[in-house]
Amino acid sequence: MLRQSDIYFGQDESGRFLPWLIAFMVYLAALSIAGLFILNGLTQQFGAGIENSMTIQIPVTGSPSRDIARRTEVLQKLQRTSGVISSAHIPVKRVAELLRPWLGEATQSDQLPLPQVIDVAVDRTRGIRSDDIHRLFEDFRPPIVVDDHGEWLSDMVNALRSAEIVAISIVVLTGLATVGTVIFSTRAGLGLQKDTIAVLHFIGAKDDYIARQFAMRAAWLGLKGGIGGLAVALPTLAALRFAIGDLNFGLLPDLNLSSSGWISVALILPCVAIIAHLTARSTVLGSLSEMF
Amino acid sequence: MSKIVQFENVGLRYGLGPEILQDISFGLEPSSFHFLIGPSGAGKSSLLKLMYLAHRPTRGKVSLFDRNISTLPRKDLPSVRRRIGVVFQEFRLLNHLSAFDNVALPLRVTGLRGAEIKRHVEELLSWVGLKDHLDSRPPTLSGGQQQRVAIARAVIARPQILYADEPTGNVDDRIAARIMHLFEELNKLGTTVVIATHNKAMVRETGHAVMSLEKGRLSLQGNAVSDASQKKGIEVGKVPTRQRKPTV
Ligand SMILES: Nc1ncnc2c1ncn2[C@@H]1O[C@H](COP(=O)(O)OP(=O)(O)OP(=O)(O)O)[C@@H](O)[C@H]1O
Ligand SMILES: [Mg+2]
């Protein structure tokens, strides 16, 4: 069992306000960290595959043999183009499937002329752009259409990255605010405990012995605040997830928090205790080193 | 034999105030016993504070165990302080801790734990007549009982020097005599004892060496009963006191 501390913290107000402040910080940090993981997941999902691909649509001409000839020419030229890793014709059936959510059963009918679609995997490090591909087939009538997913996706990914930076900033700021709060309340506590500290010094206590008691207390208050903050943050996250899940976007990628995300959110608890412990300890050691 | 406490032309002032101790010079032999007397405000507590490392002198040199405390690095303070026991004038017990825990503190700060502490502390508290008050917190004890807890805390770690500031101020004659007896016993075991007091009768009865403070100056040095030593102005430490082999 833990022996009662040599220092009586009962009259120290920080025992009341510190956990509340820390709970608030932990709440913010938990939401930010969860957001960070979700954003990161999105970035990866978007980035993977699509970021390095383009699609070429070759509008139908009305003559199936001409269509096939044009398609073959496109595939052959692409093969010789530097920066193109591979290209493949997507069968009409598959195109129809992909379009069904928008066009419904109309895709089944022959009334709707579906373009031939070619999926092109590119290596962007070699500087290939959609314009380059377009230029290859300038003389095609009706003209081909080149969709560069990477271009708008990279905008999307950039936006996501900015959001990630904001989330990281919030986490860092809450950490700094926690450190500041602990320093402040520890200094106040040192003032209140002047007499006890003097007595402990006179009977031969080392600074470290005294600092440890302040540090243990700060860690305990941090833990209390952390548990409080998480106790509110976890239901918030669950509620958000439920609300988003309910919207049932077919388009949106997976918005769930990964298990490493949940673990990171849970790790806030030991982190906040350790931060409080170390901060209080170094604050006390710093102050005591100026005494005789 | 080298002095366990040595003052050379020591002066002390609090902040920017006047010098309340002036030109203090003396040395104490190991295992000696001294009274420190003087009227209220003469500076007895202040002199003790210099001796138990609560203050550094504003001038002059204070040495304890042959170490100059003005140049002592901070990290060495605890080990020096552990060789010193202090009974403060106002006790300075930790009110939220039991009598047991207060007395155990000097052992705990050295890292000791558990059964050994328990045996030592209970033994000592029984010895000072507080066997039934191990768990009592200081505010629930009488002044005399608190004083004995303070004394037990000062001696539990077997210090080489024991300072007591007005240790019989709050107790009746019978308990005062018992406390004096305790100090005598500790002195016989080799502890250097310095007691600040107003109690002239006690000083006269025991016949130990006396340091007398008057307005911040050590005006009278020597044994209160030995006029000869006073006239010669013999240094306190050189007054023949009972020399006994210090035991561990
Ligand atoms: N912390 C302090 N700050 C300023 N002045 C102090 C301080 N402590 C003591 N003094 C002054 O130093 C002088 C000596 O005080 P000290 O407590 O040493 O006297 P004393 O001999 O122990 O008196 P008493 O017998 O009443 O305990 C007094 O004038 C007192 O006002
Ligand atoms: Mg005094």
Side-chain angles (χ1 to χ4, degrees):
Chain A
M1 222 193 71
L2 263 176
R3 196 175 61 84
Q4 187 181 15
S5 163
D6 297 337
I7 298 171
Y8 178 64
F9 291 105
Q11 82 272 35
D12 189 342
E13 286 295 319
S14 68
R16 271 180 286 280
F17 80 80
L18 197 63
W20 283 101
L21 282 174
I22 287 180
F24 181 64
M25 309 294 177
V26 166
Y27 179 75
L28 284 181
L31 293 194
S32 302
I33 286 175
L36 195 59
F37 271 86
I38 290 170
L39 288 170
N40 198 29
L42 287 180
T43 315
Q44 268 168 18
Q45 286 171 50
F46 280 129
I50 323 181
E51 199 181 347
N52 287 318
S53 74
M54 300 182 191
T55 2
I56 298 174
Q57 293 173 40
I58 311 166
V60 284
T61 55
S63 146
S65 64
R66 233 183 109 207
D67 287 344
I68 291 170
R70 282 175 32 134
R71 186 174 89 209
T72 316
E73 190 192 337
V74 167
L75 284 170
Q76 277 172 356
K77 269 198 179 167
L78 283 173
Q79 236 169 32
R80 282 181 262 120
T81 308
S82 97
V84 173
I85 296 166
S86 65
S87 51
H89 173 235
I90 299 177
V92 175
K93 260 198 173 153
R94 173 85 182 116
V95 174
E97 256 173 46
L98 288 171
L99 292 178
R100 192 176 300 129
W102 285 273
L103 305 179
E105 293 310 308
T107 54
Q108 296 297 81
S109 82
D110 294 336
Q111 317 281 304
L112 192 75
L114 288 177
Q116 307 188 80
V117 177
I118 305 216
D119 201 14
V120 189
V122 293
D123 178 2
R124 283 183 201 278
T125 59
R126 300 177 61 177
I128 188 166
R129 297 171 50 94
S130 58
D131 289 351
D132 301 333
I133 293 180
H134 204 263
R135 210 167 302 121
L136 284 176
F137 309 107
E138 261 172 344
D139 48 342
F140 275 42
R141 290 293 172 271
I144 62 157
V145 178
V146 182
D147 275 340
D148 186 349
H149 313 295
E151 251 157 46
W152 71 265
L153 268 169
S154 72
D155 287 348
M156 175 88 168
V157 168
N158 282 341
L160 288 173
R161 291 257 151 81
S162 312
E164 280 175 30
I165 289 169
V166 170
I168 290 172
S169 311
I170 294 176
V171 174
V172 171
L173 285 177
T174 55
L176 290 178
T178 303
V179 168
T181 316
V182 172
I183 289 177
F184 176 79
S185 71
T186 304
R187 288 242 173 96
L190 279 168
L192 287 173
Q193 308 296 346
K194 238 166 63 189
D195 289 344
T196 305
I197 291 170
V199 171
L200 288 174
H201 271 149
F202 291 143
I203 63 177
K206 293 186 175 156
D207 290 349
D208 203 54
Y209 179 91
I210 296 166
R212 209 158 50 224
Q213 309 210 10
F214 278 88
M216 290 303 289
R217 172 166 187 269
W220 166 238
L221 293 179
L223 211 56
K224 247 164 80 170
I227 290 170
L230 281 191
V232 186
L234 293 180
T236 308
L237 287 173
L240 280 177
R241 190 181 150 201
F242 182 74
I244 291 170
D246 233 28
L247 291 177
N248 207 4
F249 286 121
L251 284 173
L252 274 183
D254 195 4
L255 276 174
N256 282 341
L257 189 54
S258 60
S259 54
S260 53
W262 286 112
I263 291 169
S264 301
V265 169
L267 280 180
I268 294 177
L269 214 52
C271 280
V272 84
I274 290 168
I275 288 174
H277 189 282
L278 294 179
T279 306
R281 201 182 110 85
S282 61
T283 305
V284 173
L285 289 178
S287 299
L288 294 186
S289 71
E290 289 155 19
M291 295 171 58
F292 174 46
Chain B
M1 205 170 193
S2 75
K3 306 281 189 284
I4 198 164
V5 178
Q6 182 86 55
F7 275 53
E8 291 168 37
N9 292 313
V10 170
L12 174 72
R13 60 174 86 235
Y14 290 105
L16 297 172
E19 206 166 48
I20 54 104
L21 289 176
Q22 291 168 24
D23 303 320
I24 308 277
S25 297
F26 66 91
L28 304 185
E29 299 282 351
S31 306
S32 55
F33 196 123
H34 301 270
F35 283 111
L36 176 60
I37 60 169
S40 181
K44 301 183 294 296
S45 297
S46 302
L47 185 58
L48 287 180
K49 280 177 189 166
L50 287 173
M51 291 199 274
Y52 62 71
L53 302 183
H55 288 295
R56 283 196 177 96
T58 15
R59 63 183 173 92
K61 182 179 162 195
V62 175
S63 303
L64 293 175
F65 311 106
D66 284 328
R67 301 190 69 176
N68 181 348
I69 68 158
S70 294
T71 57
L72 201 62
R74 183 172 168 73
K75 66 169 173 48
D76 292 349
L77 288 173
S79 65
V80 174
R81 284 172 170 150
R82 284 173 193 180
R83 299 162 79 181
I84 298 172
V86 188
V87 184
F88 300 97
Q89 189 164 11
E90 59 287 9
F91 314 146
R92 305 184 76 164
L93 298 171
L94 303 188
N95 283 339
H96 70 292
L97 295 183
S98 65
F100 179 95
D101 282 330
N102 266 287
V103 176
L105 219 43
L107 298 177
R108 287 201 171 118
V109 299
T110 67
L112 282 178
R113 289 281 176 273
E116 210 182 342
I117 282 192
K118 192 167 148 62
R119 196 171 56 78
H120 277 317
V121 173
E122 286 179 358
E123 230 171 64
L124 184 57
L125 277 172
S126 307
W127 200 53
V128 297
L130 292 173
K131 195 179 165 53
D132 301 328
H133 293 283
L134 297 180
D135 296 325
S136 305
R137 302 209 284 125
T140 67
L141 295 173
S142 74
Q145 289 169 329
Q146 288 182 37
Q147 194 146 35
R148 281 177 278 160
V149 175
I151 290 167
R153 184 181 68 183
V155 304
I156 185 79
R158 301 270 167 108
Q160 284 165 267
I161 310 179
L162 176 67
Y163 302 119
D165 199 348
E166 214 64 68
T168 54
N170 293 275
V171 293
D172 59 42
D173 291 349
R174 195 178 55 84
I175 292 181
R178 258 179 83 176
I179 289 172
M180 272 311 295
H181 178 68
L182 168 60
F183 291 157
E184 301 268 3
E185 291 297 313
L186 288 166
N187 179 241
K188 282 179 198 160
L189 292 171
T191 310
T192 305
V193 178
V194 179
I195 298 174
T197 184
H198 287 126
N199 191 334
K200 293 238 171 67
M202 188 169 75
V203 176
R204 247 178 273 118
E205 277 162 26
T206 54
H208 290 300
V210 173
M211 299 190 279
S212 174
L213 264 180
E214 198 89 44
K215 290 186 182 141
R217 288 181 181 270
L218 210 52
S219 65
L220 173 82
Q221 300 183 347
N223 190 313
V225 286
S226 157
D227 285 332
S229 62
Q230 275 179 43
K231 282 180 196 137
K232 285 185 215 151
I234 286 172
E235 239 193 318
V236 173
K238 287 180 186 158
V239 171
T241 50
R242 288 174 303 167
Q243 294 291 328
R244 284 184 175 79
K245 272 187 213 121
T247 49
V248 190

